[in-house]
Amino acid sequence: MTQPSFAQIDHYIANLLAPADPALTATEQSIIAAGMPVISVTANQGKFLHLLALLCRATRILEIGTLGGYSAIWMARALPEGGKLTTIELEPEYAEVARKNIAMAGLSDKVDILVGKALEVLPQLEAEGAGPFDMIFIDADKPPYVEYFQHALRLSHPGTLIVADNVIREGQVLDTGSTDEKVTGAQRFNNMLAAEDRVTATILQTVGAKEWDGMALAVVKS
Ligand code: SAH
Ligand code: DHB
Ligand code: MG
């Protein structure tokens, strides 16, 4: 047979191990219906985040960038009774779509959506003494990823897992002359990560149903 594509294999894996269910399907459909950007993590990436949350034995999860709640649902499903996922979203209309999707998934008691600019909400969380979080997923706008990571560190404990989506951008991170602020944001983030002594980190390339990209994984050291 001809060489299958990354997308075909992604669907093969998803059909086996991350099959859609009514809440996830309705979440994806709600994003399209509302004319929101179709940039949720893929099903397999959602399952991966779910596994990571289980590995962390997470009871407190922080997400920066909610969109329609798709990744939040995958991660919140890994929380035990009494666990909490806090997710930050800039756009009130998106937060409202997410709120409905999270309710449909039966997770309203486990998920708090905070509406506002992450760079304003994160200091408020710190001031309130929120956290420490066991897992933090950074997936909002790309230029301030370094700043998001510095806030994440302040909301962490030794062993916290910090995950950052979209740090490879179809390989454009190699283009040192790039003027795309999503690319330069990722470059700045990856360079910071390499120099940051308080964590140990790697980056996994992500291929499949969506464009070629990468997820950074960083564990806060003792
Ligand atoms: N994590 C989601 C996808 C997030 S897409 C999932 O995989 O299901 C990125 C989201 O970040 C968008 O909803 C966008 O509105 C939001 N965002 C962009 N800039 C932001 C900011 N400054 N503060 C908070 N959220 C922001
Ligand atoms: C974009 C943002 C994302 O979080 C993502 O996963 C894919 C694309 C974007 O803004 O282009
Ligand atoms: Mg993303």
mmCIF file with all atom_site columns, all heavy atoms in Angstrom, residues 29-51:
data_model
loop_
_atom_site.group_PDB
_atom_site.id
_atom_site.type_symbol
_atom_site.label_atom_id
_atom_site.label_alt_id
_atom_site.label_comp_id
_atom_site.label_asym_id
_atom_site.label_entity_id
_atom_site.label_seq_id
_atom_site.pdbx_PDB_ins_code
_atom_site.Cartn_x
_atom_site.Cartn_y
_atom_site.Cartn_z
_atom_site.occupancy
_atom_site.B_iso_or_equiv
_atom_site.pdbx_formal_charge
_atom_site.auth_seq_id
_atom_site.auth_comp_id
_atom_site.auth_asym_id
_atom_site.auth_atom_id
_atom_site.pdbx_PDB_model_num
ATOM 1   N N   . GLN A 1 29 ? -18.224 20.921 17.463 1.00 0.00 ? 29 GLN A N   1
ATOM 2   C CA  . GLN A 1 29 ? -19.265 21.502 16.593 1.00 0.00 ? 29 GLN A CA  1
ATOM 3   C C   . GLN A 1 29 ? -19.627 22.914 17.037 1.00 0.00 ? 29 GLN A C   1
ATOM 4   O O   . GLN A 1 29 ? -19.862 23.796 16.212 1.00 0.00 ? 29 GLN A O   1
ATOM 5   C CB  . GLN A 1 29 ? -20.507 20.594 16.586 1.00 0.00 ? 29 GLN A CB  1
ATOM 6   C CG  . GLN A 1 29 ? -20.281 19.334 15.765 1.00 0.00 ? 29 GLN A CG  1
ATOM 7   C CD  . GLN A 1 29 ? -21.411 18.312 15.900 1.00 0.00 ? 29 GLN A CD  1
ATOM 8   O OE1 . GLN A 1 29 ? -22.303 18.471 16.733 1.00 0.00 ? 29 GLN A OE1 1
ATOM 9   N NE2 . GLN A 1 29 ? -21.348 17.262 15.090 1.00 0.00 ? 29 GLN A NE2 1
ATOM 10  N N   . SER A 1 30 ? -19.637 23.144 18.357 1.00 0.00 ? 30 SER A N   1
ATOM 11  C CA  . SER A 1 30 ? -20.007 24.474 18.877 1.00 0.00 ? 30 SER A CA  1
ATOM 12  C C   . SER A 1 30 ? -18.985 25.525 18.456 1.00 0.00 ? 30 SER A C   1
ATOM 13  O O   . SER A 1 30 ? -19.332 26.688 18.231 1.00 0.00 ? 30 SER A O   1
ATOM 14  C CB  . SER A 1 30 ? -20.131 24.437 20.403 1.00 0.00 ? 30 SER A CB  1
ATOM 15  O OG  . SER A 1 30 ? -18.843 24.377 21.011 1.00 0.00 ? 30 SER A OG  1
ATOM 16  N N   . ILE A 1 31 ? -17.728 25.116 18.351 1.00 0.00 ? 31 ILE A N   1
ATOM 17  C CA  . ILE A 1 31 ? -16.652 26.041 17.967 1.00 0.00 ? 31 ILE A CA  1
ATOM 18  C C   . ILE A 1 31 ? -16.841 26.461 16.503 1.00 0.00 ? 31 ILE A C   1
ATOM 19  O O   . ILE A 1 31 ? -16.739 27.647 16.162 1.00 0.00 ? 31 ILE A O   1
ATOM 20  C CB  . ILE A 1 31 ? -15.284 25.364 18.218 1.00 0.00 ? 31 ILE A CB  1
ATOM 21  C CG1 . ILE A 1 31 ? -15.031 25.287 19.731 1.00 0.00 ? 31 ILE A CG1 1
ATOM 22  C CG2 . ILE A 1 31 ? -14.162 26.094 17.490 1.00 0.00 ? 31 ILE A CG2 1
ATOM 23  C CD1 . ILE A 1 31 ? -13.880 24.396 20.135 1.00 0.00 ? 31 ILE A CD1 1
ATOM 24  N N   . ILE A 1 32 ? -17.172 25.499 15.657 1.00 0.00 ? 32 ILE A N   1
ATOM 25  C CA  . ILE A 1 32 ? -17.426 25.801 14.244 1.00 0.00 ? 32 ILE A CA  1
ATOM 26  C C   . ILE A 1 32 ? -18.678 26.661 14.115 1.00 0.00 ? 32 ILE A C   1
ATOM 27  O O   . ILE A 1 32 ? -18.676 27.692 13.436 1.00 0.00 ? 32 ILE A O   1
ATOM 28  C CB  . ILE A 1 32 ? -17.553 24.490 13.434 1.00 0.00 ? 32 ILE A CB  1
ATOM 29  C CG1 . ILE A 1 32 ? -16.210 23.749 13.440 1.00 0.00 ? 32 ILE A CG1 1
ATOM 30  C CG2 . ILE A 1 32 ? -18.022 24.761 12.000 1.00 0.00 ? 32 ILE A CG2 1
ATOM 31  C CD1 . ILE A 1 32 ? -16.283 22.302 12.983 1.00 0.00 ? 32 ILE A CD1 1
ATOM 32  N N   . ALA A 1 33 ? -19.749 26.258 14.822 1.00 0.00 ? 33 ALA A N   1
ATOM 33  C CA  . ALA A 1 33 ? -21.032 26.978 14.726 1.00 0.00 ? 33 ALA A CA  1
ATOM 34  C C   . ALA A 1 33 ? -20.890 28.428 15.161 1.00 0.00 ? 33 ALA A C   1
ATOM 35  O O   . ALA A 1 33 ? -21.543 29.318 14.615 1.00 0.00 ? 33 ALA A O   1
ATOM 36  C CB  . ALA A 1 33 ? -22.093 26.265 15.571 1.00 0.00 ? 33 ALA A CB  1
ATOM 37  N N   . ALA A 1 34 ? -20.029 28.678 16.150 1.00 0.00 ? 34 ALA A N   1
ATOM 38  C CA  . ALA A 1 34 ? -19.853 30.041 16.676 1.00 0.00 ? 34 ALA A CA  1
ATOM 39  C C   . ALA A 1 34 ? -18.849 30.846 15.850 1.00 0.00 ? 34 ALA A C   1
ATOM 40  O O   . ALA A 1 34 ? -18.598 32.007 16.162 1.00 0.00 ? 34 ALA A O   1
ATOM 41  C CB  . ALA A 1 34 ? -19.414 29.981 18.135 1.00 0.00 ? 34 ALA A CB  1
ATOM 42  N N   . GLY A 1 35 ? -18.267 30.212 14.828 1.00 0.00 ? 35 GLY A N   1
ATOM 43  C CA  . GLY A 1 35 ? -17.280 30.913 14.007 1.00 0.00 ? 35 GLY A CA  1
ATOM 44  C C   . GLY A 1 35 ? -15.982 31.189 14.752 1.00 0.00 ? 35 GLY A C   1
ATOM 45  O O   . GLY A 1 35 ? -15.233 32.109 14.400 1.00 0.00 ? 35 GLY A O   1
ATOM 46  N N   . MET A 1 36 ? -15.709 30.382 15.764 1.00 0.00 ? 36 MET A N   1
ATOM 47  C CA  . MET A 1 36 ? -14.457 30.525 16.525 1.00 0.00 ? 36 MET A CA  1
ATOM 48  C C   . MET A 1 36 ? -13.319 29.820 15.784 1.00 0.00 ? 36 MET A C   1
ATOM 49  O O   . MET A 1 36 ? -13.571 28.964 14.941 1.00 0.00 ? 36 MET A O   1
ATOM 50  C CB  . MET A 1 36 ? -14.642 29.901 17.925 1.00 0.00 ? 36 MET A CB  1
ATOM 51  C CG  . MET A 1 36 ? -15.608 30.680 18.793 1.00 0.00 ? 36 MET A CG  1
ATOM 52  S SD  . MET A 1 36 ? -16.353 29.715 20.125 1.00 0.00 ? 36 MET A SD  1
ATOM 53  C CE  . MET A 1 36 ? -14.946 29.269 21.116 1.00 0.00 ? 36 MET A CE  1
ATOM 54  N N   . PRO A 1 37 ? -12.062 30.177 16.059 1.00 0.00 ? 37 PRO A N   1
ATOM 55  C CA  . PRO A 1 37 ? -10.962 29.495 15.361 1.00 0.00 ? 37 PRO A CA  1
ATOM 56  C C   . PRO A 1 37 ? -10.913 28.004 15.721 1.00 0.00 ? 37 PRO A C   1
ATOM 57  O O   . PRO A 1 37 ? -11.155 27.640 16.873 1.00 0.00 ? 37 PRO A O   1
ATOM 58  C CB  . PRO A 1 37 ? -9.702  30.226 15.852 1.00 0.00 ? 37 PRO A CB  1
ATOM 59  C CG  . PRO A 1 37 ? -10.116 30.991 17.064 1.00 0.00 ? 37 PRO A CG  1
ATOM 60  C CD  . PRO A 1 37 ? -11.590 31.240 16.965 1.00 0.00 ? 37 PRO A CD  1
ATOM 61  N N   . VAL A 1 38 ? -10.660 27.181 14.710 1.00 0.00 ? 38 VAL A N   1
ATOM 62  C CA  . VAL A 1 38 ? -10.639 25.726 14.916 1.00 0.00 ? 38 VAL A CA  1
ATOM 63  C C   . VAL A 1 38 ? -9.209  25.325 15.269 1.00 0.00 ? 38 VAL A C   1
ATOM 64  O O   . VAL A 1 38 ? -8.462  24.800 14.441 1.00 0.00 ? 38 VAL A O   1
ATOM 65  C CB  . VAL A 1 38 ? -11.179 24.988 13.668 1.00 0.00 ? 38 VAL A CB  1
ATOM 66  C CG1 . VAL A 1 38 ? -11.241 23.478 13.909 1.00 0.00 ? 38 VAL A CG1 1
ATOM 67  C CG2 . VAL A 1 38 ? -12.577 25.508 13.331 1.00 0.00 ? 38 VAL A CG2 1
ATOM 68  N N   . ILE A 1 39 ? -8.833  25.662 16.504 1.00 0.00 ? 39 ILE A N   1
ATOM 69  C CA  . ILE A 1 39 ? -7.444  25.460 16.947 1.00 0.00 ? 39 ILE A CA  1
ATOM 70  C C   . ILE A 1 39 ? -7.375  24.740 18.291 1.00 0.00 ? 39 ILE A C   1
ATOM 71  O O   . ILE A 1 39 ? -6.387  24.859 19.006 1.00 0.00 ? 39 ILE A O   1
ATOM 72  C CB  . ILE A 1 39 ? -6.658  26.801 16.998 1.00 0.00 ? 39 ILE A CB  1
ATOM 73  C CG1 . ILE A 1 39 ? -7.395  27.842 17.841 1.00 0.00 ? 39 ILE A CG1 1
ATOM 74  C CG2 . ILE A 1 39 ? -6.396  27.337 15.588 1.00 0.00 ? 39 ILE A CG2 1
ATOM 75  C CD1 . ILE A 1 39 ? -6.612  29.132 18.075 1.00 0.00 ? 39 ILE A CD1 1
ATOM 76  N N   . SER A 1 40 ? -8.428  23.995 18.624 1.00 0.00 ? 40 SER A N   1
ATOM 77  C CA  . SER A 1 40 ? -8.341  23.141 19.813 1.00 0.00 ? 40 SER A CA  1
ATOM 78  C C   . SER A 1 40 ? -7.237  22.114 19.581 1.00 0.00 ? 40 SER A C   1
ATOM 79  O O   . SER A 1 40 ? -6.908  21.792 18.440 1.00 0.00 ? 40 SER A O   1
ATOM 80  C CB  . SER A 1 40 ? -9.649  22.371 20.025 1.00 0.00 ? 40 SER A CB  1
ATOM 81  O OG  . SER A 1 40 ? -10.770 23.215 20.006 1.00 0.00 ? 40 SER A OG  1
ATOM 82  N N   . VAL A 1 41 ? -6.705  21.552 20.650 1.00 0.00 ? 41 VAL A N   1
ATOM 83  C CA  . VAL A 1 41 ? -5.804  20.418 20.495 1.00 0.00 ? 41 VAL A CA  1
ATOM 84  C C   . VAL A 1 41 ? -6.567  19.283 19.790 1.00 0.00 ? 41 VAL A C   1
ATOM 85  O O   . VAL A 1 41 ? -7.801  19.255 19.805 1.00 0.00 ? 41 VAL A O   1
ATOM 86  C CB  . VAL A 1 41 ? -5.241  19.921 21.854 1.00 0.00 ? 41 VAL A CB  1
ATOM 87  C CG1 . VAL A 1 41 ? -4.376  20.983 22.510 1.00 0.00 ? 41 VAL A CG1 1
ATOM 88  C CG2 . VAL A 1 41 ? -6.349  19.452 22.793 1.00 0.00 ? 41 VAL A CG2 1
ATOM 89  N N   . THR A 1 42 ? -5.833  18.366 19.178 1.00 0.00 ? 42 THR A N   1
ATOM 90  C CA  . THR A 1 42 ? -6.482  17.216 18.532 1.00 0.00 ? 42 THR A CA  1
ATOM 91  C C   . THR A 1 42 ? -6.943  16.227 19.602 1.00 0.00 ? 42 THR A C   1
ATOM 92  O O   . THR A 1 42 ? -6.567  16.326 20.774 1.00 0.00 ? 42 THR A O   1
ATOM 93  C CB  . THR A 1 42 ? -5.502  16.497 17.593 1.00 0.00 ? 42 THR A CB  1
ATOM 94  O OG1 . THR A 1 42 ? -4.438  15.963 18.390 1.00 0.00 ? 42 THR A OG1 1
ATOM 95  C CG2 . THR A 1 42 ? -4.933  17.439 16.537 1.00 0.00 ? 42 THR A CG2 1
ATOM 96  N N   . ALA A 1 43 ? -7.724  15.240 19.163 1.00 0.00 ? 43 ALA A N   1
ATOM 97  C CA  . ALA A 1 43 ? -8.199  14.211 20.099 1.00 0.00 ? 43 ALA A CA  1
ATOM 98  C C   . ALA A 1 43 ? -7.025  13.507 20.781 1.00 0.00 ? 43 ALA A C   1
ATOM 99  O O   . ALA A 1 43 ? -7.021  13.322 22.001 1.00 0.00 ? 43 ALA A O   1
ATOM 100 C CB  . ALA A 1 43 ? -9.078  13.209 19.355 1.00 0.00 ? 43 ALA A CB  1
ATOM 101 N N   . ASN A 1 44 ? -6.015  13.117 20.014 1.00 0.00 ? 44 ASN A N   1
ATOM 102 C CA  . ASN A 1 44 ? -4.878  12.409 20.624 1.00 0.00 ? 44 ASN A CA  1
ATOM 103 C C   . ASN A 1 44 ? -4.076  13.311 21.553 1.00 0.00 ? 44 ASN A C   1
ATOM 104 O O   . ASN A 1 44 ? -3.542  12.844 22.554 1.00 0.00 ? 44 ASN A O   1
ATOM 105 C CB  . ASN A 1 44 ? -3.970  11.811 19.546 1.00 0.00 ? 44 ASN A CB  1
ATOM 106 C CG  . ASN A 1 44 ? -4.621  10.633 18.864 1.00 0.00 ? 44 ASN A CG  1
ATOM 107 O OD1 . ASN A 1 44 ? -5.404  9.904  19.485 1.00 0.00 ? 44 ASN A OD1 1
ATOM 108 N ND2 . ASN A 1 44 ? -4.329  10.439 17.587 1.00 0.00 ? 44 ASN A ND2 1
ATOM 109 N N   . GLN A 1 45 ? -3.990  14.581 21.210 1.00 0.00 ? 45 GLN A N   1
ATOM 110 C CA  . GLN A 1 45 ? -3.305  15.521 22.110 1.00 0.00 ? 45 GLN A CA  1
ATOM 111 C C   . GLN A 1 45 ? -4.125  15.719 23.383 1.00 0.00 ? 45 GLN A C   1
ATOM 112 O O   . GLN A 1 45 ? -3.564  15.841 24.476 1.00 0.00 ? 45 GLN A O   1
ATOM 113 C CB  . GLN A 1 45 ? -3.069  16.854 21.406 1.00 0.00 ? 45 GLN A CB  1
ATOM 114 C CG  . GLN A 1 45 ? -2.007  16.769 20.316 1.00 0.00 ? 45 GLN A CG  1
ATOM 115 C CD  . GLN A 1 45 ? -2.006  17.987 19.409 1.00 0.00 ? 45 GLN A CD  1
ATOM 116 O OE1 . GLN A 1 45 ? -2.745  18.951 19.615 1.00 0.00 ? 45 GLN A OE1 1
ATOM 117 N NE2 . GLN A 1 45 ? -1.181  17.939 18.377 1.00 0.00 ? 45 GLN A NE2 1
ATOM 118 N N   . GLY A 1 46 ? -5.457  15.732 23.235 1.00 0.00 ? 46 GLY A N   1
ATOM 119 C CA  . GLY A 1 46 ? -6.317  15.822 24.412 1.00 0.00 ? 46 GLY A CA  1
ATOM 120 C C   . GLY A 1 46 ? -6.113  14.614 25.315 1.00 0.00 ? 46 GLY A C   1
ATOM 121 O O   . GLY A 1 46 ? -5.982  14.742 26.541 1.00 0.00 ? 46 GLY A O   1
ATOM 122 N N   . LYS A 1 47 ? -6.057  13.440 24.698 1.00 0.00 ? 47 LYS A N   1
ATOM 123 C CA  . LYS A 1 47 ? -5.817  12.216 25.487 1.00 0.00 ? 47 LYS A CA  1
ATOM 124 C C   . LYS A 1 47 ? -4.452  12.256 26.141 1.00 0.00 ? 47 LYS A C   1
ATOM 125 O O   . LYS A 1 47 ? -4.280  11.836 27.298 1.00 0.00 ? 47 LYS A O   1
ATOM 126 C CB  . LYS A 1 47 ? -5.960  10.987 24.574 1.00 0.00 ? 47 LYS A CB  1
ATOM 127 C CG  . LYS A 1 47 ? -5.800  9.640  25.271 1.00 0.00 ? 47 LYS A CG  1
ATOM 128 C CD  . LYS A 1 47 ? -6.934  9.342  26.234 1.00 0.00 ? 47 LYS A CD  1
ATOM 129 C CE  . LYS A 1 47 ? -6.786  7.996  26.946 1.00 0.00 ? 47 LYS A CE  1
ATOM 130 N NZ  . LYS A 1 47 ? -7.118  6.830  26.131 1.00 0.00 ? 47 LYS A NZ  1
ATOM 131 N N   . PHE A 1 48 ? -3.469  12.794 25.417 1.00 0.00 ? 48 PHE A N   1
ATOM 132 C CA  . PHE A 1 48 ? -2.114  12.935 25.966 1.00 0.00 ? 48 PHE A CA  1
ATOM 133 C C   . PHE A 1 48 ? -2.134  13.855 27.195 1.00 0.00 ? 48 PHE A C   1
ATOM 134 O O   . PHE A 1 48 ? -1.555  13.528 28.246 1.00 0.00 ? 48 PHE A O   1
ATOM 135 C CB  . PHE A 1 48 ? -1.187  13.482 24.872 1.00 0.00 ? 48 PHE A CB  1
ATOM 136 C CG  . PHE A 1 48 ? 0.245   13.657 25.274 1.00 0.00 ? 48 PHE A CG  1
ATOM 137 C CD1 . PHE A 1 48 ? 1.023   12.563 25.644 1.00 0.00 ? 48 PHE A CD1 1
ATOM 138 C CD2 . PHE A 1 48 ? 0.838   14.912 25.260 1.00 0.00 ? 48 PHE A CD2 1
ATOM 139 C CE1 . PHE A 1 48 ? 2.367   12.726 25.998 1.00 0.00 ? 48 PHE A CE1 1
ATOM 140 C CE2 . PHE A 1 48 ? 2.175   15.076 25.612 1.00 0.00 ? 48 PHE A CE2 1
ATOM 141 C CZ  . PHE A 1 48 ? 2.938   13.986 25.986 1.00 0.00 ? 48 PHE A CZ  1
ATOM 142 N N   . LEU A 1 49 ? -2.821  14.986 27.106 1.00 0.00 ? 49 LEU A N   1
ATOM 143 C CA  . LEU A 1 49 ? -2.925  15.896 28.254 1.00 0.00 ? 49 LEU A CA  1
ATOM 144 C C   . LEU A 1 49 ? -3.632  15.205 29.421 1.00 0.00 ? 49 LEU A C   1
ATOM 145 O O   . LEU A 1 49 ? -3.265  15.394 30.592 1.00 0.00 ? 49 LEU A O   1
ATOM 146 C CB  . LEU A 1 49 ? -3.674  17.174 27.862 1.00 0.00 ? 49 LEU A CB  1
ATOM 147 C CG  . LEU A 1 49 ? -2.950  18.095 26.875 1.00 0.00 ? 49 LEU A CG  1
ATOM 148 C CD1 . LEU A 1 49 ? -3.902  19.186 26.371 1.00 0.00 ? 49 LEU A CD1 1
ATOM 149 C CD2 . LEU A 1 49 ? -1.704  18.725 27.512 1.00 0.00 ? 49 LEU A CD2 1
ATOM 150 N N   . HIS A 1 50 ? -4.628  14.390 29.097 1.00 0.00 ? 50 HIS A N   1
ATOM 151 C CA  . HIS A 1 50 ? -5.355  13.624 30.117 1.00 0.00 ? 50 HIS A CA  1
ATOM 152 C C   . HIS A 1 50 ? -4.406  12.658 30.828 1.00 0.00 ? 50 HIS A C   1
ATOM 153 O O   . HIS A 1 50 ? -4.392  12.571 32.070 1.00 0.00 ? 50 HIS A O   1
ATOM 154 C CB  . HIS A 1 50 ? -6.491  12.877 29.414 1.00 0.00 ? 50 HIS A CB  1
ATOM 155 C CG  . HIS A 1 50 ? -7.309  11.994 30.291 1.00 0.00 ? 50 HIS A CG  1
ATOM 156 N ND1 . HIS A 1 50 ? -8.426  12.438 30.970 1.00 0.00 ? 50 HIS A ND1 1
ATOM 157 C CD2 . HIS A 1 50 ? -7.184  10.689 30.612 1.00 0.00 ? 50 HIS A CD2 1
ATOM 158 C CE1 . HIS A 1 50 ? -8.948  11.436 31.668 1.00 0.00 ? 50 HIS A CE1 1
ATOM 159 N NE2 . HIS A 1 50 ? -8.204  10.365 31.461 1.00 0.00 ? 50 HIS A NE2 1
ATOM 160 N N   . LEU A 1 51 ? -3.587  11.958 30.058 1.00 0.00 ? 51 LEU A N   1
ATOM 161 C CA  . LEU A 1 51 ? -2.612  11.019 30.655 1.00 0.00 ? 51 LEU A CA  1
ATOM 162 C C   . LEU A 1 51 ? -1.604  11.760 31.520 1.00 0.00 ? 51 LEU A C   1
ATOM 163 O O   . LEU A 1 51 ? -1.229  11.288 32.597 1.00 0.00 ? 51 LEU A O   1
ATOM 164 C CB  . LEU A 1 51 ? -1.871  10.242 29.560 1.00 0.00 ? 51 LEU A CB  1
ATOM 165 C CG  . LEU A 1 51 ? -2.676  9.244  28.752 1.00 0.00 ? 51 LEU A CG  1
ATOM 166 C CD1 . LEU A 1 51 ? -1.808  8.629  27.660 1.00 0.00 ? 51 LEU A CD1 1
ATOM 167 C CD2 . LEU A 1 51 ? -3.226  8.147  29.634 1.00 0.00 ? 51 LEU A CD2 1
#
